[in-house]
Amino acid sequence: MINLRDKGAEVWEKSGRPARVAIVLASIAAVASLPLMGGTILNTPIASYESVLVNPVAMFVLMAIGLNIVIGKSGLLDLGYVAFFAIGAYTMALLGTRTGLNTWEILPIGIAMAMFAGLILGVPALKLRGDYLAIITLGFGEIVRIIALNLETLGRSEGILNIPTPPPIFGVEYAFDSHRIYFWTLLVLILLAIWMVRRLSARRAGRAWESIRQDEDVAELLGVPTFRYKIWAFVLGASVGGAAGVFYASKTLYIAPDNFTLQISILILACVVFGGMGNIWGVILGAVVLAYLPDRIRFLSEARLLVFGLVLVIMMNLRPDGLLPRKKREKALVVKEKS
Amino acid sequence: MTEPLLRLENVTMQFGGVTALNNVTFDVKPQEILGLIGPNGAGKTTVFNVITGVYQVSSGVISFQGGSLAGKKRYKITKSGIARTFQNIRLWGDMTSLENVMTATDTHKKSGLLSGLFGMPISRREEKRDKARAQELLDFIGIGEYSDRLAKNLPYGVQRRLEIARALGTEPKLLLLDEPAAGFNPAEKVELADTIRRIRDAGYTVLLIEHDMSLVMKVSDRVVVLDFGQKIADDVPQKIQEDPRVIEAYLGVPENAS
């Protein structure tokens, strides 16, 4: 089977600085032009193509990047990731309808709220491992939804209506149906998240997470403050989920507890696993495929989910480590044997 | 007499009804190589586990550089200057050799996650310094050419040595080696003995668990013998080899006691 990951890494390593800048800019331009490709084969036959690109595609990508910090990098199984998405969304909904704050002002507040939630969940939960952690996070995801369902302030099952759209930026209006501008804004958030993850992975935090994922006891015995780094993974993962939530609420203008079910957590987890845990490009690809595919094959009507499930099963059998797995390349050994 | 670097005082470790260590007392003096031997199940690895905080002692005191280690977090014990290797190799297989050692050198970094994220000069400086240090340690142990290889793909002997390099990465004062020669052939053992001496000469103190008697007797300045959780001897190698209690514990004379 062709190894896209290694091919990509090879091209990247051989390129000089200007070539790399060119690759990055060209890739960004290609992705940014996606909303303009509505007439091509990419078009989703029944759903509006541009709105599919925003939600679920870009939303899933953003959240998958966030969850990947927790699951892929640090090996902490979080089944309640939707909670942070919900907290970001409800922060936006509440502050957006009750105060004069606009989306850009609420964004950092929503991120902070999600991070804070990650902290309060993480401090007790991260003392546990594996299955136990998974169950606690699963419970947390449900608790957040049920609180929203029962709290008068949060609109109970009716949710919150009339959430404001983002104010114009550089004179560009965020009209409800102009999906492109939302897509491009999300793209900026996604690029920021990629930057953050790549930056952290290359240094101390990345090594600490990697060592924890592979053997937590040994990590601790070799001086890694494991608890602190697990909390960081949780909190940073939550921040990305919170950002996605704020933007989601500001895009759909209406949220209700039904938007934040366990199914979202599972779907995002599927994106991470399907794409290739721990490899950010794999995770992005996984999210794109899993978010886009159901809409692309919508013409199959009833058979749609069956086909989707089949694709998942077949792919996971063919590539159990995901589309673009994590496994790192060893640099050519010949080069090293110069001494 | 010099102040001991590490002191175990009446240390007892019980697991339910089993007493793994019974009232064990011994010192490790700065810059010595102390061999820790005993038949299987004597409690040698348990000694490592109580020193490094994997277990909390049932009674007794362990002090390092004069301060008690009781209740200290494991990574803090490591940071204070004790590092170990593992009897069954436990490297981070999906990391390269260099990354394995660098994860250990991170122990003493001042820069953390945020300074790394924002590319602060201190993070960049420390990263560069530690990378050089990690490579230096790999070279010192004699596996420098494997720095870019994933740990899981390394030959067995290199993995054993990498365990030592990684432990040294935490800049310990006391290095605990848990059967570093397990599975080595005679030539590799000779080389390892030389490495252990070089480690000591570089200023580290070594506490060595090893089953290979000729190796222990050759490199150790002093040997402590455990049997069924109790210390039965504590002396220079020559005396240990003549000690009737030790001979009895091992049911015979060590191979090259001549």
Side-chain angles (χ1 to χ4, degrees), chain A:
Chain A
M1 189 155 288
I2 43 156
N3 197 330
L4 288 172
R5 182 199 61 235
D6 287 2
K7 280 271 179 297
E10 209 176 294
V11 171
W12 181 255
E13 268 158 30
K14 278 186 188 151
S15 315
R17 203 182 167 84
R20 288 186 180 185
V21 173
I23 293 174
V24 170
L25 289 178
S27 314
I28 293 175
V31 174
S33 64
L34 277 178
L36 312 174
M37 312 275 209
T40 67
I41 185 151
L42 293 176
N43 198 14
T44 45
I46 289 157
S48 147
Y49 168 71
E50 288 186 22
S51 95
V52 166
L53 278 185
V54 176
N55 180 32
V57 175
M59 281 290 172
F60 271 35
V61 168
L62 188 55
M63 283 199 278
I65 292 173
L67 185 61
N68 183 47
I69 302 175
V70 184
I71 295 186
K73 295 277 171 201
S74 330
L76 307 166
L77 186 49
D78 181 353
L79 294 182
Y81 192 64
V82 71
F84 306 120
F85 181 57
I87 287 166
Y90 271 98
T91 306
M92 173 68 217
L94 215 55
L95 294 180
T97 51
R98 303 270 173 96
T99 68
L101 295 175
N102 68 40
T103 309
W104 309 129
E105 289 156 352
I106 296 170
L107 186 63
I109 303 174
I111 291 173
M113 291 291 288
M115 289 173 89
F116 182 64
L119 187 68
I120 18 182
L121 170 63
V123 168
L126 290 175
K127 298 217 160 79
L128 303 172
R129 292 185 191 180
D131 310 351
Y132 303 102
L133 176 66
I135 289 171
I136 289 210
T137 52
L138 181 76
F140 184 72
E142 281 298 280
I143 286 169
V144 168
R145 184 179 66 84
I146 290 166
I147 287 178
L149 198 56
N150 287 285
L151 216 61
E152 186 74 60
T153 337
L154 299 181
R156 297 210 173 134
S157 60
E158 286 85 46
I160 298 178
L161 294 161
N162 298 324
I163 304 167
T165 55
I169 190 165
F170 308 125
V172 187
E173 294 278 346
Y174 281 84
F176 174 67
D177 54 353
S178 63
H179 301 293
R180 286 171 197 188
I181 182 72
Y182 284 98
F183 178 78
W184 289 325
T185 313
L186 269 171
L187 187 59
V188 172
L189 287 179
I190 289 168
L191 289 173
L192 275 172
I194 293 175
W195 171 81
M196 175 173 89
V197 171
R198 285 185 54 91
R199 195 62 183 247
L200 290 173
S201 301
R203 295 221 174 138
R204 182 182 181 180
R207 287 190 293 267
W209 289 335
E210 183 71 15
S211 68
I212 290 168
R213 186 182 65 80
Q214 292 184 38
D215 193 332
E216 187 173 340
D217 290 321
V218 171
E220 173 124 27
L221 285 169
L222 280 149
V224 178
T226 50
F227 188 64
R228 191 188 311 161
Y229 276 96
K230 287 198 291 180
I231 293 277
W232 266 120
F234 236 58
V235 166
L236 290 173
S239 75
V240 178
V246 168
F247 206 70
Y248 174 78
S250 194
K251 165 79 176 67
T252 57
L253 315 183
Y254 161 69
I255 58 166
D258 281 353
N259 301 128
F260 308 104
T261 54
L262 173 64
Q263 202 190 345
I264 306 281
S265 297
I266 303 294
L267 270 173
I268 305 299
L269 174 64
C271 296
V272 173
V273 176
F274 184 75
M277 256 194 266
N279 179 357
I280 192 163
W281 308 117
V283 165
I284 291 172
L285 185 64
V288 169
V289 172
L290 292 200
Y292 172 76
L293 195 62
D295 275 307
R296 183 69 187 82
I297 59 174
R298 205 175 267 277
F299 56 87
L300 297 171
S301 60
E302 261 100 86
R304 178 173 74 109
L305 290 178
L306 186 67
V307 172
F308 181 63
L310 266 176
V311 170
L312 275 186
V313 171
I314 292 169
M315 279 313 295
M316 289 322 288
N317 268 297
L318 288 177
R319 305 198 69 130
D321 294 326
L323 295 173
L324 296 178
R326 162 202 346 254
K327 202 172 73 193
K328 267 199 287 190
R329 282 173 357 122
E330 295 187 332
K331 297 209 180 91
L333 300 175
V334 233
V335 185
K336 201 56 208 172
E337 277 155 21
K338 54 187 185 273
S339 57

Side-chain angles (χ1 to χ4, degrees), chain B residues 107-120:
Chain B
T107 305
H108 294 287
K109 272 199 171 73
K110 289 195 181 63
S111 61
L113 181 136
L114 291 176
S115 48
L117 178 59
F118 296 111
M120 312 267 259

